[in-house]
Amino acid sequence: MDAITLTDAIVNLSMMAPEIWQACKETALMLAIGLVAAFLIGGPLGFLLYLSQPGQIFAHRIVNGVLGWLVNLVRSFPFIILMVSLVPLTRLLVGSTIGPVAAAVPLSFAAIPYFARLVEQTLREVPRGVVEAAEAMGASPLQIIAKVLLVEARSGLISSVTILTISFLSYSAVAGVVGGGGIGDLAIRYGYYRFQTEVMVAMVLLLVVIVQIIQFVGNRLAARLDKR
Amino acid sequence: MIHLHNVRKRYRRPDGGWFEAVAPTSLSIGAGEIFGLIGYSGAGKSTLMRLINLLERPDEGSVIVDTQDLTGLSASELRRARQNIGMVFQQFNLLANRTVAGNVAFPLEIAGWSKADIQQRVAECLDVVGLADRAQHYPAQLSGGQKQRVGIARALAPNPKVILADEATSALDPKTTQSILDCLQDINRRFGVTVVVVTHEMNVVRSICQRAAVLEAGQVVEVLDIVDGRIEARSDLARSLLEAA
């Protein structure tokens, strides 16, 4: 590989601007679908995992055991293997196995149990006595969830979302390489296979900036919501 | 106001045997009374109190509060009945992410009060406990004694017939303890609320209770009458608690 000057690198990258922009959109789409699935399914699942524990308001040994086992099962798959195993399902759901929407299927599958565990852990930090006080005041289970658990755990839940987003930004790069597109895919195709190191460097720098921004916003929001 | 008939509560021990937290016990507490449950740690006094609002469900016996047998109620009927029984906790158990006013409003929201009624009642209750100027503070910004006043205002808000205070002063220093006890006594006198206090300190009993049950191993050993701060103890247990004070 010949060394190139900084000017060459910038010229190359600027010519690739449309592709970089396209890759950003693909990554954003994969991530968005995965995160929405995690909120809508993983969030309630996390509440159920917590509430079905012994001593909680929906304590149920079998439900808790089965849910915990399922979550562990999906989480034990290395992501790349999960993707391959889910190819038939992806084809069924999306009609294709390439493109960001197809890649979002295994991404969502991995994000749901991941977020469920994060939510469960966060809820455990709400003092039991506070929930008990609400029970003593005659609060219904729904009121306890909405007015006690969600409110008292909100800052921890924001931190969980931050962790989830950053982890899955990284997972989306893996999904991208196997046909999903996105920033990671671009980095591999140009930076690795075509020896355009400047593309690799630029994509990694881009990801570093995105991660820093997500973490910063997450921390600020969590701190603002935390009155403990 | 409160009648416990032969209530019993047992727990399974890890070795498979049973631990009897409350042996079959009967107890009647009159309307407007301040009644103490006193004993050493593990005597079953907290469990006995938690039977009154069914935070613990008795294995046997009945719990009658304000002529209603709580053990026979459905889940939603029990929730409604609990709105009539306030509770104050040793660790305060306030919502950290709600303001003082928000904490006092909580039981009223649960009970479905209107916004305007809640606002008025919260102001009244904060006035009773002397925290009107702290309405917009968060619990983390308050001292222990102030937190407990919020706890009392919260318990008082839905106009309960009964307030249960579970070691409400045990996390506080002696001076603050006295001010919290005065606050409970004030509420009892002004609003006629029946108050049940769980404590391990005879001074608490002497200070505000008219009667107190002395407990050991889940059983009532004797019921003390307190007249002008004087306690006549017949049992060895009560005498030892008196000496410790």
Side-chain angles (χ1 to χ4, degrees):
Chain A
M1 187 177 78
D2 298 323
I4 55 165
T5 65
L6 186 61
T7 326
D8 291 338
I10 290 169
V11 169
N12 283 351
L13 284 169
S14 64
M15 284 190 344
M16 283 183 60
E19 282 174 274
I20 294 174
W21 178 235
Q22 180 63 29
C24 287
K25 285 196 291 187
E26 285 165 1
T27 292
L29 182 60
M30 284 190 277
L31 205 51
I33 296 173
L35 294 183
V36 167
F39 291 152
L40 294 185
I41 305 173
L45 187 59
F47 270 86
L48 211 54
L49 270 172
Y50 171 77
L51 293 171
S52 60
Q53 277 165 20
Q56 298 299 342
I57 50 180
F58 291 138
H60 196 296
R61 196 197 300 246
I62 296 169
V63 168
N64 189 258
V66 169
L67 288 180
W69 189 83
L70 277 175
V71 162
N72 290 345
L73 177 76
V74 179
R75 293 201 62 206
S76 22
F77 276 74
F79 182 59
I80 191 102
I81 295 174
L82 185 71
M83 287 193 66
V84 178
S85 330
L86 288 177
V87 161
L89 180 72
T90 305
R91 187 167 283 134
L92 190 76
L93 287 175
V94 187
S96 154
T97 57
I98 50 170
V101 179
V105 173
L107 218 46
S108 304
F109 235 81
I112 288 165
Y114 188 90
F115 190 56
R117 277 286 183 229
L118 284 174
V119 167
E120 182 203 5
Q121 302 285 332
T122 306
L123 293 176
R124 278 191 204 190
E125 276 159 38
V126 176
R128 180 76 184 100
V130 178
V131 175
E132 193 174 87
E135 281 184 278
M137 285 184 264
S140 66
L142 218 59
Q143 285 170 323
I144 290 175
I145 292 170
K147 285 175 182 284
V148 179
L149 292 175
L150 268 176
V151 174
E152 291 299 283
R154 64 189 184 189
S155 143
L157 289 173
I158 294 290
S159 300
S160 298
V161 171
T162 310
I163 294 173
L164 175 79
T165 309
I166 292 175
S167 298
F168 278 80
L169 180 61
S170 170
Y171 278 36
S172 78
V174 179
V177 174
V178 208
I183 299 172
D185 175 48
L186 193 77
I188 290 285
R189 274 192 293 129
Y190 287 81
Y192 187 65
Y193 295 136
R194 293 197 194 172
F195 303 108
Q196 284 181 264
T197 309
E198 75 275 11
V199 179
M200 178 72 83
V201 172
M203 291 306 101
V204 171
L205 282 177
L206 182 62
L207 287 171
V208 168
V209 171
I210 294 173
V211 167
Q212 299 290 354
I213 291 172
I214 293 170
Q215 190 66 53
F216 176 78
V217 172
N219 285 352
R220 285 294 287 270
L221 204 57
R224 265 190 65 167
L225 290 174
D226 192 1
K227 308 292 183 189
R228 283 174 292 178
Chain B
M1 177 58 62
I2 301 168
H3 300 282
L4 303 174
H5 289 298
N6 289 318
V7 288
R8 181 182 205 189
K9 183 71 190 178
R10 299 190 303 171
Y11 297 102
R12 201 45 117 169
R13 277 198 311 241
D15 66 9
W18 292 95
F19 170 70
E20 191 148 57
V22 176
T25 300
S26 294
L27 201 62
S28 281
I29 300 172
E33 208 175 0
I34 302 187
F35 192 94
L37 298 174
I38 184 164
Y40 290 113
S41 298
K45 52 195 191 300
S46 278
T47 308
L48 189 60
M49 166 174 277
R50 292 158 61 86
L51 289 172
I52 296 173
N53 61 359
L54 247 57
L55 276 184
E56 305 285 351
R57 191 169 275 278
D59 302 324
E60 294 167 18
S62 59
V63 178
I64 294 159
V65 179
D66 195 17
T67 69
Q68 199 174 25
D69 185 351
L70 303 188
T71 50
L73 298 180
S74 71
S76 68
E77 287 168 334
L78 176 61
R79 286 200 290 270
R80 191 177 298 274
R82 279 176 173 168
Q83 290 166 11
N84 208 17
I85 309 172
M87 195 164 189
V88 181
F89 302 85
Q90 178 174 9
Q91 294 305 326
F92 323 123
N93 292 344
L94 302 175
L95 292 157
N97 284 332
R98 275 194 176 217
T99 61
V100 165
N103 269 284
V104 180
F106 187 88
L108 305 176
E109 290 172 20
I110 299 288
W113 288 38
S114 76
K115 273 223 164 76
D117 287 348
I118 290 177
Q119 207 176 5
Q120 194 192 341
R121 182 63 184 154
V122 167
E124 279 171 20
C125 289
L126 287 178
D127 218 36
V128 170
V129 299
L131 281 178
D133 56 332
R134 299 294 161 104
Q136 296 313 314
H137 285 56
Y138 284 93
Q141 297 166 296
L142 304 178
S143 69
Q146 288 172 328
K147 284 181 197 168
Q148 198 55 295
R149 284 169 185 277
V150 178
I152 292 172
R154 177 173 73 174
L156 178 67
N159 289 309
K161 294 255 173 68
V162 176
I163 289 182
L164 308 176
D166 190 0
E167 297 276 12
T169 60
S170 299
L172 305 172
D173 63 57
K175 202 175 148 210
T176 314
T177 293
Q178 194 52 53
S179 80
I180 292 296
L181 294 178
D182 292 344
C183 185
L184 283 171
Q185 193 165 42
D186 178 49
I187 283 167
N188 165 262
R189 287 187 180 152
R190 281 168 69 179
F191 309 110
V193 182
T194 307
V195 178
V196 184
V197 294
V198 159
T199 182
H200 60 274
E201 289 175 295
M202 204 49 111
N203 283 331
V204 170
V205 168
R206 197 199 317 266
S207 170
I208 60 168
C209 295
Q210 283 119 42
R211 292 195 302 146
V214 185
L215 282 104
E216 188 173 43
Q219 284 178 312
V220 176
V221 176
E222 79 170 293
V223 177
L224 303 169
D225 286 302
I226 298 100
V227 184
D228 296 329
R230 282 219 316 272
I231 301 173
E232 225 164 282
R234 290 181 299 276
S235 63
D236 291 345
L237 174 62
R239 270 197 286 273
S240 103
L241 282 159
L242 264 174
E243 277 162 25

